[in-house]
Amino acid sequence: MGTRLLPATKSQPKEMLPVARKPIVQYVAEELVASGVEDILFVTGRGKSSIENHFDADPELSNQLAAAKKADLLREVDFADMPCNFFYTRQRVQRGLGDAIRCGENFAGEQPFVVALGDSILGLHAQSQTLRRMIELFESKRASCVVAVEEVPEHEVSQYGIIQPVDADGDVYRVSNLVEKPAAGSAPSRLAIAGRYVFAPIIFDMIRNVEPDRRGEIQLTNAMRLLCEEGRRVFAVKLAPGEKRYDIGNFPSYYETFAEFALADPDHGPAFRARLLELLGVK
Ligand code: G1P
């Protein structure tokens, strides 16, 4: 519900908050397309229709930009040429991430599919190889699930789903168990689920078998744990050292993300940097 970002998210979804020039969800869509995904289903909910509007045509705006000969800007707001199809569905009641994924069951059918959480950007300007590596690993290992992980400090493990790795091959791990938001001191590792997943359709059966937690939510992490318990092949890929996950779910990391992306803006970054140094009193 984006309560950690109120009042900014009172009447707009957090996925539509801007990070420098674009809303977060656009970076996520661009990352998916760059990773070879051709059909994107947005699982939204009440109050999130601005996501659909963002990717829709806006003839008035397009005409105005064309008349003003702003071809560059026109290209940036016209998603018709994006090599993917957009689909939308709504989760009627917020019953957790596992339940949201179940809204895509008919869409996925018998095919493996990717899940990307809309409040995280992988890599500066979504320049990320992680999903491509995950898809390749999923295929080569004939896996049931591949998840992206990042190493987090001990005091942050309770904010994430944490994997229990059994075997490591470089930055690829075989996973034997997962725990959603473990208490500090009881986590099986410091490798946290980073909001990107590849699943075989069997995950839908697992989701159906997950009991709601004490808040009534169906946790995706618990469905993945059932995959492990059945002895299925679950792997984790660690983000490459230069590849950061930008989490927009709370103000401190939202501020940091915005500043980092704005500093990297080819047109306005240098002036922003100079102004920041001035504000900080650094010459
Ligand atoms: C969700 C997942 C968690 C994952 C996190 C990544 O938690 O349940 O396993 O580590 O996203 O951002 P949420 O942030 O929705 O509480």
Side-chain angles (χ1 to χ4, degrees):
M1 293 190 79
T3 44
R4 278 175 290 183
L5 293 168
L6 282 170
T9 50
K10 180 160 182 285
S11 65
Q12 65 175 340
K14 63 179 171 179
E15 296 81 2
M16 283 301 290
L17 290 179
V19 168
R21 295 191 186 204
K22 301 173 190 173
I24 295 150
V25 69
Q26 188 179 332
Y27 292 104
V28 177
E30 287 173 357
E31 176 200 332
L32 292 172
V33 170
S35 308
V37 173
E38 291 171 356
D39 295 305
I40 301 180
L41 172 69
F42 293 83
V43 181
T44 69
R46 250 179 314 130
K48 297 204 184 216
S49 51
S50 56
I51 296 177
E52 291 173 48
N53 296 340
H54 182 70
F55 291 103
D56 202 359
D58 184 340
E60 263 174 44
L61 177 65
S62 299
N63 290 342
Q64 205 181 337
L65 293 175
K69 303 216 173 339
K70 295 192 170 165
D72 286 356
L73 206 49
L74 184 56
R75 256 195 305 279
E76 280 195 47
V77 296
D78 188 358
F79 300 100
D81 291 339
M82 225 168 161
C84 69
N85 302 304
F86 294 121
F87 301 85
Y88 301 90
T89 191
R90 284 190 183 199
Q91 185 187 24
R92 302 173 83 94
V93 182
Q94 296 210 350
R95 284 205 199 99
L97 182 56
D99 181 70
I101 303 311
R102 201 160 54 183
C103 297
E105 183 166 6
N106 285 357
F107 175 80
E110 298 295 308
Q111 299 288 321
F113 62 99
V114 164
V115 170
L117 304 191
D119 62 0
S120 304
I121 302 171
L122 288 199
L124 187 63
H125 292 139
Q127 302 292 313
S128 167
Q129 293 304 315
T130 301
L131 206 45
R132 208 170 261 284
R133 286 167 56 213
M134 290 167 67
I135 294 168
E136 280 166 15
L137 186 77
F138 180 89
E139 284 168 355
S140 68
K141 298 277 190 190
R142 287 174 288 108
S144 293
C145 165
V146 176
V147 65
V149 291
E150 64 174 339
E151 206 157 324
V152 297
E154 183 67 36
H155 68 273
E156 284 183 14
V157 291
S158 59
Q159 299 169 25
Y160 296 100
I162 302 289
I163 67 158
Q164 181 167 343
V166 265
D167 228 356
D169 178 6
D171 53 3
V172 171
Y173 305 87
R174 175 88 194 239
V175 178
S176 65
N177 198 5
L178 305 99
V179 195
E180 182 66 11
K181 305 198 171 81
S186 72
S189 75
R190 290 195 288 112
L191 294 167
I193 298 174
R196 299 292 183 272
Y197 313 77
V198 186
F199 288 117
I202 185 76
I203 192 66
F204 295 116
D205 292 335
M206 303 298 128
I207 293 172
R208 262 187 285 281
N209 290 334
V210 169
E211 293 293 327
D213 66 9
R214 56 195 162 75
R215 293 167 60 204
E217 296 197 347
I218 307 285
Q219 294 298 343
L220 183 59
T221 305
N222 292 341
M224 292 159 70
R225 167 193 275 181
L226 294 181
L227 286 177
C228 293
E229 283 174 6
E230 284 200 352
R232 292 179 190 269
R233 298 155 72 82
V234 178
F235 294 89
V237 170
K238 197 160 121 184
L239 300 189
E243 215 172 83
K244 230 167 113 177
R245 184 180 73 97
Y246 297 91
D247 181 347
I248 290 84
N250 58 70
F251 280 121
S253 58
Y254 175 53
Y255 289 172
E256 264 181 53
T257 303
F258 195 109
E260 208 171 321
F261 278 56
L263 285 168
D265 186 302
D267 297 332
H268 306 296
F272 181 52
R273 178 179 305 274
R275 180 67 186 127
L276 271 185
L277 292 174
E278 216 173 86
L279 281 172
L280 294 168
V282 184
K283 284 274 174 281

mmCIF file of all heavy atoms in Angstrom, residues 215-255:
data_model
loop_
_atom_site.group_PDB
_atom_site.id
_atom_site.type_symbol
_atom_site.label_atom_id
_atom_site.label_comp_id
_atom_site.label_asym_id
_atom_site.label_seq_id
_atom_site.Cartn_x
_atom_site.Cartn_y
_atom_site.Cartn_z
ATOM 1 N N ARG A 215 -0.777 -11.894 9.078
ATOM 2 C CA ARG A 215 -1.446 -10.699 8.541
ATOM 3 C C ARG A 215 -2.396 -11.056 7.401
ATOM 4 O O ARG A 215 -2.901 -10.182 6.700
ATOM 5 C CB ARG A 215 -0.402 -9.698 8.056
ATOM 6 C CG ARG A 215 0.418 -9.125 9.204
ATOM 7 C CD ARG A 215 1.640 -8.394 8.708
ATOM 8 N NE ARG A 215 1.286 -7.275 7.846
ATOM 9 C CZ ARG A 215 2.081 -6.746 6.922
ATOM 10 N NH1 ARG A 215 3.272 -7.260 6.718
ATOM 11 N NH2 ARG A 215 1.697 -5.728 6.209
ATOM 12 N N GLY A 216 -2.590 -12.349 7.182
ATOM 13 C CA GLY A 216 -3.514 -12.787 6.138
ATOM 14 C C GLY A 216 -2.889 -12.776 4.754
ATOM 15 O O GLY A 216 -3.584 -12.908 3.744
ATOM 16 N N GLU A 217 -1.546 -12.640 4.686
ATOM 17 C CA GLU A 217 -0.880 -12.554 3.378
ATOM 18 C C GLU A 217 -0.296 -13.902 2.950
ATOM 19 O O GLU A 217 0.226 -14.655 3.773
ATOM 20 C CB GLU A 217 0.245 -11.514 3.443
ATOM 21 C CG GLU A 217 -0.270 -10.118 3.705
ATOM 22 C CD GLU A 217 0.742 -9.031 3.362
ATOM 23 O OE1 GLU A 217 1.917 -9.346 3.150
ATOM 24 O OE2 GLU A 217 0.317 -7.860 3.315
ATOM 25 N N ILE A 218 -0.417 -14.165 1.651
ATOM 26 C CA ILE A 218 0.201 -15.366 1.076
ATOM 27 C C ILE A 218 1.600 -14.960 0.624
ATOM 28 O O ILE A 218 1.741 -14.164 -0.318
ATOM 29 C CB ILE A 218 -0.592 -15.872 -0.156
ATOM 30 C CG1 ILE A 218 -2.077 -16.063 0.174
ATOM 31 C CG2 ILE A 218 0.027 -17.134 -0.729
ATOM 32 C CD1 ILE A 218 -2.418 -17.255 0.999
ATOM 33 N N GLN A 219 2.618 -15.466 1.280
ATOM 34 C CA GLN A 219 3.993 -15.073 0.954
ATOM 35 C C GLN A 219 4.553 -15.923 -0.180
ATOM 36 O O GLN A 219 4.530 -17.151 -0.113
ATOM 37 C CB GLN A 219 4.893 -15.215 2.195
ATOM 38 C CG GLN A 219 4.559 -14.254 3.316
ATOM 39 C CD GLN A 219 4.728 -12.784 2.913
ATOM 40 O OE1 GLN A 219 5.385 -12.460 1.918
ATOM 41 N NE2 GLN A 219 4.116 -11.888 3.670
ATOM 42 N N LEU A 220 5.089 -15.253 -1.192
ATOM 43 C CA LEU A 220 5.721 -15.953 -2.313
ATOM 44 C C LEU A 220 6.920 -16.777 -1.823
ATOM 45 O O LEU A 220 7.157 -17.896 -2.280
ATOM 46 C CB LEU A 220 6.171 -14.919 -3.357
ATOM 47 C CG LEU A 220 6.797 -15.472 -4.626
ATOM 48 C CD1 LEU A 220 5.838 -16.392 -5.361
ATOM 49 C CD2 LEU A 220 7.239 -14.340 -5.553
ATOM 50 N N THR A 221 7.645 -16.199 -0.862
ATOM 51 C CA THR A 221 8.827 -16.892 -0.329
ATOM 52 C C THR A 221 8.431 -18.261 0.241
ATOM 53 O O THR A 221 9.170 -19.244 0.084
ATOM 54 C CB THR A 221 9.482 -16.020 0.772
ATOM 55 O OG1 THR A 221 9.757 -14.733 0.199
ATOM 56 C CG2 THR A 221 10.772 -16.628 1.281
ATOM 57 N N ASN A 222 7.260 -18.337 0.878
ATOM 58 C CA ASN A 222 6.824 -19.616 1.450
ATOM 59 C C ASN A 222 6.465 -20.623 0.353
ATOM 60 O O ASN A 222 6.665 -21.828 0.523
ATOM 61 C CB ASN A 222 5.657 -19.408 2.413
ATOM 62 C CG ASN A 222 6.091 -18.650 3.659
ATOM 63 O OD1 ASN A 222 7.282 -18.598 3.963
ATOM 64 N ND2 ASN A 222 5.145 -18.043 4.358
ATOM 65 N N ALA A 223 5.958 -20.118 -0.768
ATOM 66 C CA ALA A 223 5.679 -21.019 -1.899
ATOM 67 C C ALA A 223 6.994 -21.554 -2.463
ATOM 68 O O ALA A 223 7.096 -22.729 -2.844
ATOM 69 C CB ALA A 223 4.891 -20.274 -2.976
ATOM 70 N N MET A 224 8.020 -20.710 -2.495
ATOM 71 C CA MET A 224 9.336 -21.162 -2.977
ATOM 72 C C MET A 224 9.933 -22.189 -2.017
ATOM 73 O O MET A 224 10.602 -23.130 -2.434
ATOM 74 C CB MET A 224 10.268 -19.953 -3.125
ATOM 75 C CG MET A 224 9.832 -19.037 -4.250
ATOM 76 S SD MET A 224 10.479 -17.378 -4.080
ATOM 77 C CE MET A 224 12.192 -17.635 -4.394
ATOM 78 N N ARG A 225 9.668 -21.986 -0.735
ATOM 79 C CA ARG A 225 10.158 -22.955 0.251
ATOM 80 C C ARG A 225 9.529 -24.330 -0.014
ATOM 81 O O ARG A 225 10.199 -25.366 0.078
ATOM 82 C CB ARG A 225 9.802 -22.481 1.655
ATOM 83 C CG ARG A 225 9.996 -23.576 2.674
ATOM 84 C CD ARG A 225 9.359 -23.210 3.961
ATOM 85 N NE ARG A 225 10.284 -22.403 4.724
ATOM 86 C CZ ARG A 225 10.032 -21.935 5.933
ATOM 87 N NH1 ARG A 225 8.874 -22.163 6.495
ATOM 88 N NH2 ARG A 225 10.915 -21.241 6.579
ATOM 89 N N LEU A 226 8.242 -24.348 -0.397
ATOM 90 C CA LEU A 226 7.591 -25.630 -0.702
ATOM 91 C C LEU A 226 8.264 -26.308 -1.896
ATOM 92 O O LEU A 226 8.375 -27.530 -1.941
ATOM 93 C CB LEU A 226 6.091 -25.425 -0.974
ATOM 94 C CG LEU A 226 5.243 -24.946 0.212
ATOM 95 C CD1 LEU A 226 3.768 -24.805 -0.194
ATOM 96 C CD2 LEU A 226 5.367 -25.893 1.407
ATOM 97 N N LEU A 227 8.724 -25.498 -2.864
ATOM 98 C CA LEU A 227 9.466 -26.077 -4.001
ATOM 99 C C LEU A 227 10.708 -26.807 -3.479
ATOM 100 O O LEU A 227 11.014 -27.924 -3.904
ATOM 101 C CB LEU A 227 9.935 -24.977 -4.961
ATOM 102 C CG LEU A 227 8.934 -24.288 -5.876
ATOM 103 C CD1 LEU A 227 9.639 -23.187 -6.670
ATOM 104 C CD2 LEU A 227 8.281 -25.278 -6.844
ATOM 105 N N CYS A 228 11.420 -26.147 -2.553
ATOM 106 C CA CYS A 228 12.632 -26.756 -1.976
ATOM 107 C C CYS A 228 12.280 -28.039 -1.241
ATOM 108 O O CYS A 228 12.965 -29.057 -1.371
ATOM 109 C CB CYS A 228 13.321 -25.799 -1.010
ATOM 110 S SG CYS A 228 14.001 -24.350 -1.796
ATOM 111 N N GLU A 229 11.203 -27.990 -0.470
ATOM 112 C CA GLU A 229 10.814 -29.167 0.323
ATOM 113 C C GLU A 229 10.472 -30.365 -0.570
ATOM 114 O O GLU A 229 10.641 -31.506 -0.176
ATOM 115 C CB GLU A 229 9.623 -28.830 1.230
ATOM 116 C CG GLU A 229 10.050 -28.015 2.438
ATOM 117 C CD GLU A 229 8.886 -27.531 3.298
ATOM 118 O OE1 GLU A 229 7.726 -27.906 3.035
ATOM 119 O OE2 GLU A 229 9.161 -26.762 4.226
ATOM 120 N N GLU A 230 9.994 -30.068 -1.774
ATOM 121 C CA GLU A 230 9.696 -31.160 -2.721
ATOM 122 C C GLU A 230 10.952 -31.612 -3.453
ATOM 123 O O GLU A 230 10.883 -32.442 -4.356
ATOM 124 C CB GLU A 230 8.670 -30.682 -3.753
ATOM 125 C CG GLU A 230 7.266 -30.626 -3.205
ATOM 126 C CD GLU A 230 6.220 -30.639 -4.328
ATOM 127 O OE1 GLU A 230 6.593 -30.532 -5.513
ATOM 128 O OE2 GLU A 230 5.041 -30.765 -3.980
ATOM 129 N N GLY A 231 12.093 -31.024 -3.126
ATOM 130 C CA GLY A 231 13.352 -31.410 -3.757
ATOM 131 C C GLY A 231 13.526 -30.841 -5.153
ATOM 132 O O GLY A 231 14.363 -31.311 -5.930
ATOM 133 N N ARG A 232 12.745 -29.829 -5.499
ATOM 134 C CA ARG A 232 12.872 -29.243 -6.840
ATOM 135 C C ARG A 232 14.083 -28.322 -6.902
ATOM 136 O O ARG A 232 14.620 -27.927 -5.871
ATOM 137 C CB ARG A 232 11.594 -28.484 -7.203
ATOM 138 C CG ARG A 232 10.434 -29.439 -7.397
ATOM 139 C CD ARG A 232 9.167 -28.725 -7.739
ATOM 140 N NE ARG A 232 8.059 -29.642 -7.690
ATOM 141 C CZ ARG A 232 7.619 -30.343 -8.731
ATOM 142 N NH1 ARG A 232 8.198 -30.217 -9.907
ATOM 143 N NH2 ARG A 232 6.601 -31.169 -8.605
ATOM 144 N N ARG A 233 14.467 -28.011 -8.151
ATOM 145 C CA ARG A 233 15.716 -27.289 -8.333
ATOM 146 C C ARG A 233 15.490 -25.778 -8.250
ATOM 147 O O ARG A 233 14.935 -25.179 -9.154
ATOM 148 C CB ARG A 233 16.320 -27.678 -9.690
ATOM 149 C CG ARG A 233 16.631 -29.168 -9.734
ATOM 150 C CD ARG A 233 16.634 -29.695 -11.140
ATOM 151 N NE ARG A 233 17.790 -29.254 -11.893
ATOM 152 C CZ ARG A 233 18.969 -29.821 -11.838
ATOM 153 N NH1 ARG A 233 19.160 -30.850 -11.038
ATOM 154 N NH2 ARG A 233 19.953 -29.372 -12.560
ATOM 155 N N VAL A 234 15.945 -25.215 -7.140
ATOM 156 C CA VAL A 234 15.827 -23.767 -6.903
ATOM 157 C C VAL A 234 17.237 -23.190 -6.818
ATOM 158 O O VAL A 234 18.079 -23.708 -6.077
ATOM 159 C CB VAL A 234 15.045 -23.490 -5.592
ATOM 160 C CG1 VAL A 234 14.969 -21.985 -5.310
ATOM 161 C CG2 VAL A 234 13.640 -24.092 -5.666
ATOM 162 N N PHE A 235 17.496 -22.145 -7.595
ATOM 163 C CA PHE A 235 18.823 -21.523 -7.618
ATOM 164 C C PHE A 235 18.716 -20.025 -7.345
ATOM 165 O O PHE A 235 17.656 -19.418 -7.529
ATOM 166 C CB PHE A 235 19.485 -21.731 -8.991
ATOM 167 C CG PHE A 235 19.808 -23.163 -9.284
ATOM 168 C CD1 PHE A 235 18.875 -23.992 -9.909
ATOM 169 C CD2 PHE A 235 21.039 -23.704 -8.925
ATOM 170 C CE1 PHE A 235 19.158 -25.329 -10.168
ATOM 171 C CE2 PHE A 235 21.333 -25.041 -9.178
ATOM 172 C CZ PHE A 235 20.393 -25.851 -9.801
ATOM 173 N N ALA A 236 19.840 -19.467 -6.915
ATOM 174 C CA ALA A 236 19.905 -18.018 -6.717
ATOM 175 C C ALA A 236 21.115 -17.473 -7.473
ATOM 176 O O ALA A 236 22.161 -18.119 -7.523
ATOM 177 C CB ALA A 236 20.026 -17.690 -5.235
ATOM 178 N N VAL A 237 20.949 -16.305 -8.057
ATOM 179 C CA VAL A 237 22.042 -15.618 -8.756
ATOM 180 C C VAL A 237 22.310 -14.321 -8.007
ATOM 181 O O VAL A 237 21.386 -13.532 -7.776
ATOM 182 C CB VAL A 237 21.630 -15.294 -10.217
ATOM 183 C CG1 VAL A 237 22.643 -14.366 -10.879
ATOM 184 C CG2 VAL A 237 21.466 -16.566 -11.016
ATOM 185 N N LYS A 238 23.572 -14.125 -7.631
ATOM 186 C CA LYS A 238 23.911 -12.896 -6.906
ATOM 187 C C LYS A 238 24.139 -11.757 -7.899
ATOM 188 O O LYS A 238 24.733 -11.961 -8.952
ATOM 189 C CB LYS A 238 25.176 -13.142 -6.086
ATOM 190 C CG LYS A 238 25.398 -12.117 -5.015
ATOM 191 C CD LYS A 238 26.335 -12.671 -3.963
ATOM 192 C CE LYS A 238 27.544 -11.804 -3.837
ATOM 193 N NZ LYS A 238 28.523 -12.311 -2.912
ATOM 194 N N LEU A 239 23.632 -10.574 -7.532
ATOM 195 C CA LEU A 239 23.851 -9.405 -8.390
ATOM 196 C C LEU A 239 25.355 -9.207 -8.575
ATOM 197 O O LEU A 239 26.123 -9.361 -7.632
ATOM 198 C CB LEU A 239 23.273 -8.137 -7.748
ATOM 199 C CG LEU A 239 21.779 -8.092 -7.435
ATOM 200 C CD1 LEU A 239 21.375 -6.680 -7.025
ATOM 201 C CD2 LEU A 239 20.946 -8.536 -8.622
ATOM 202 N N ALA A 240 25.768 -8.839 -9.779
ATOM 203 C CA ALA A 240 27.184 -8.586 -10.055
ATOM 204 C C ALA A 240 27.649 -7.414 -9.192
ATOM 205 O O ALA A 240 26.831 -6.537 -8.849
ATOM 206 C CB ALA A 240 27.362 -8.283 -11.532
ATOM 207 N N PRO A 241 28.950 -7.367 -8.834
ATOM 208 C CA PRO A 241 29.446 -6.337 -7.915
ATOM 209 C C PRO A 241 29.066 -4.900 -8.325
ATOM 210 O O PRO A 241 28.661 -4.109 -7.495
ATOM 211 C CB PRO A 241 30.968 -6.525 -7.951
ATOM 212 C CG PRO A 241 31.166 -7.933 -8.404
ATOM 213 C CD PRO A 241 29.991 -8.317 -9.234
ATOM 214 N N GLY A 242 29.134 -4.584 -9.612
ATOM 215 C CA GLY A 242 28.813 -3.221 -10.032
ATOM 216 C C GLY A 242 27.311 -2.965 -10.176
ATOM 217 O O GLY A 242 26.900 -1.888 -10.583
ATOM 218 N N GLU A 243 26.502 -3.996 -9.871
ATOM 219 C CA GLU A 243 25.077 -3.873 -10.165
ATOM 220 C C GLU A 243 24.255 -3.733 -8.891
ATOM 221 O O GLU A 243 24.009 -4.701 -8.188
ATOM 222 C CB GLU A 243 24.622 -5.097 -10.943
ATOM 223 C CG GLU A 243 23.580 -4.742 -11.949
ATOM 224 C CD GLU A 243 23.272 -5.908 -12.844
ATOM 225 O OE1 GLU A 243 22.472 -6.755 -12.444
ATOM 226 O OE2 GLU A 243 23.850 -5.973 -13.946
ATOM 227 N N LYS A 244 23.856 -2.513 -8.625
ATOM 228 C CA LYS A 244 23.150 -2.244 -7.383
ATOM 229 C C LYS A 244 21.652 -2.442 -7.555
ATOM 230 O O LYS A 244 21.133 -2.278 -8.656
ATOM 231 C CB LYS A 244 23.382 -0.767 -7.046
ATOM 232 C CG LYS A 244 23.832 -0.500 -5.649
ATOM 233 C CD LYS A 244 24.329 0.918 -5.562
ATOM 234 C CE LYS A 244 23.434 1.742 -4.685
ATOM 235 N NZ LYS A 244 23.943 3.101 -4.521
ATOM 236 N N ARG A 245 20.957 -2.766 -6.453
ATOM 237 C CA ARG A 245 19.493 -2.751 -6.481
ATOM 238 C C ARG A 245 19.032 -1.459 -5.839
ATOM 239 O O ARG A 245 19.454 -1.132 -4.721
ATOM 240 C CB ARG A 245 18.928 -3.934 -5.701
ATOM 241 C CG ARG A 245 17.413 -4.033 -5.782
ATOM 242 C CD ARG A 245 16.919 -5.213 -4.991
ATOM 243 N NE ARG A 245 17.018 -4.941 -3.571
ATOM 244 C CZ ARG A 245 16.001 -4.502 -2.824
ATOM 245 N NH1 ARG A 245 14.814 -4.318 -3.360
ATOM 246 N NH2 ARG A 245 16.162 -4.263 -1.541
ATOM 247 N N TYR A 246 18.235 -0.723 -6.540
ATOM 248 C CA TYR A 246 17.714 0.528 -6.001
ATOM 249 C C TYR A 246 16.299 0.260 -5.508
ATOM 250 O O TYR A 246 15.413 -0.052 -6.301
ATOM 251 C CB TYR A 246 17.717 1.618 -7.075
ATOM 252 C CG TYR A 246 19.104 1.953 -7.566
ATOM 253 C CD1 TYR A 246 19.659 1.295 -8.659
ATOM 254 C CD2 TYR A 246 19.868 2.912 -6.914
ATOM 255 C CE1 TYR A 246 20.935 1.599 -9.095
ATOM 256 C CE2 TYR A 246 21.146 3.220 -7.347
ATOM 257 C CZ TYR A 246 21.669 2.560 -8.436
ATOM 258 O OH TYR A 246 22.937 2.863 -8.871
ATOM 259 N N ASP A 247 16.127 0.380 -4.193
ATOM 260 C CA ASP A 247 14.843 0.074 -3.569
ATOM 261 C C ASP A 247 14.123 1.399 -3.340
ATOM 262 O O ASP A 247 14.669 2.308 -2.736
ATOM 263 C CB ASP A 247 15.138 -0.622 -2.228
ATOM 264 C CG ASP A 247 13.884 -1.007 -1.484
ATOM 265 O OD1 ASP A 247 12.791 -0.540 -1.850
ATOM 266 O OD2 ASP A 247 14.006 -1.781 -0.514
ATOM 267 N N ILE A 248 12.878 1.477 -3.820
ATOM 268 C CA ILE A 248 12.172 2.751 -3.701
ATOM 269 C C ILE A 248 11.106 2.651 -2.608
ATOM 270 O O ILE A 248 10.300 3.551 -2.420
ATOM 271 C CB ILE A 248 11.589 3.153 -5.088
ATOM 272 C CG1 ILE A 248 12.732 3.544 -6.030
ATOM 273 C CG2 ILE A 248 10.687 4.361 -5.026
ATOM 274 C CD1 ILE A 248 13.397 2.473 -6.727
ATOM 275 N N GLY A 249 11.131 1.573 -1.856
ATOM 276 C CA GLY A 249 10.080 1.319 -0.874
ATOM 277 C C GLY A 249 10.115 2.167 0.391
ATOM 278 O O GLY A 249 9.211 2.098 1.204
ATOM 279 N N ASN A 250 11.165 2.958 0.614
ATOM 280 C CA ASN A 250 11.210 3.822 1.801
ATOM 281 C C ASN A 250 11.963 5.112 1.460
ATOM 282 O O ASN A 250 12.702 5.161 0.484
ATOM 283 C CB ASN A 250 11.855 3.079 2.977
ATOM 284 C CG ASN A 250 13.248 2.613 2.639
ATOM 285 O OD1 ASN A 250 14.176 3.412 2.502
ATOM 286 N ND2 ASN A 250 13.403 1.303 2.453
ATOM 287 N N PHE A 251 11.755 6.140 2.269
ATOM 288 C CA PHE A 251 12.307 7.451 1.921
ATOM 289 C C PHE A 251 13.841 7.481 1.835
ATOM 290 O O PHE A 251 14.366 8.022 0.854
ATOM 291 C CB PHE A 251 11.791 8.539 2.875
ATOM 292 C CG PHE A 251 10.411 9.002 2.497
ATOM 293 C CD1 PHE A 251 9.361 8.887 3.382
ATOM 294 C CD2 PHE A 251 10.164 9.558 1.242
ATOM 295 C CE1 PHE A 251 8.083 9.303 3.025
ATOM 296 C CE2 PHE A 251 8.891 9.972 0.884
ATOM 297 C CZ PHE A 251 7.848 9.850 1.779
ATOM 298 N N PRO A 252 14.578 6.931 2.808
ATOM 299 C CA PRO A 252 16.037 7.054 2.690
ATOM 300 C C PRO A 252 16.569 6.498 1.370
ATOM 301 O O PRO A 252 17.360 7.152 0.680
ATOM 302 C CB PRO A 252 16.562 6.258 3.888
ATOM 303 C CG PRO A 252 15.440 6.267 4.869
ATOM 304 C CD PRO A 252 14.173 6.295 4.062
ATOM 305 N N SER A 253 16.100 5.296 0.984
ATOM 306 C CA SER A 253 16.671 4.740 -0.248
ATOM 307 C C SER A 253 16.066 5.413 -1.488
ATOM 308 O O SER A 253 16.713 5.490 -2.533
ATOM 309 C CB SER A 253 16.560 3.219 -0.308
ATOM 310 O OG SER A 253 15.252 2.816 -0.217
ATOM 311 N N TYR A 254 14.834 5.928 -1.377
ATOM 312 C CA TYR A 254 14.266 6.690 -2.498
ATOM 313 C C TYR A 254 15.094 7.960 -2.752
ATOM 314 O O TYR A 254 15.452 8.272 -3.884
ATOM 315 C CB TYR A 254 12.806 7.022 -2.230
ATOM 316 C CG TYR A 254 12.171 7.904 -3.288
ATOM 317 C CD1 TYR A 254 12.238 7.557 -4.637
ATOM 318 C CD2 TYR A 254 11.523 9.088 -2.951
ATOM 319 C CE1 TYR A 254 11.671 8.376 -5.617
ATOM 320 C CE2 TYR A 254 10.950 9.903 -3.910
ATOM 321 C CZ TYR A 254 11.041 9.543 -5.245
ATOM 322 O OH TYR A 254 10.489 10.352 -6.215
ATOM 323 N N TYR A 255 15.421 8.675 -1.694
ATOM 324 C CA TYR A 255 16.233 9.898 -1.843
ATOM 325 C C TYR A 255 17.576 9.572 -2.503
ATOM 326 O O TYR A 255 18.015 10.247 -3.422
ATOM 327 C CB TYR A 255 16.513 10.536 -0.473
ATOM 328 C CG TYR A 255 15.333 11.177 0.202
ATOM 329 C CD1 TYR A 255 15.440 11.629 1.517
ATOM 330 C CD2 TYR A 255 14.122 11.338 -0.439
ATOM 331 C CE1 TYR A 255 14.366 12.210 2.167
ATOM 332 C CE2 TYR A 255 13.041 11.922 0.209
ATOM 333 C CZ TYR A 255 13.170 12.359 1.517
ATOM 334 O OH TYR A 255 12.116 12.929 2.151
#
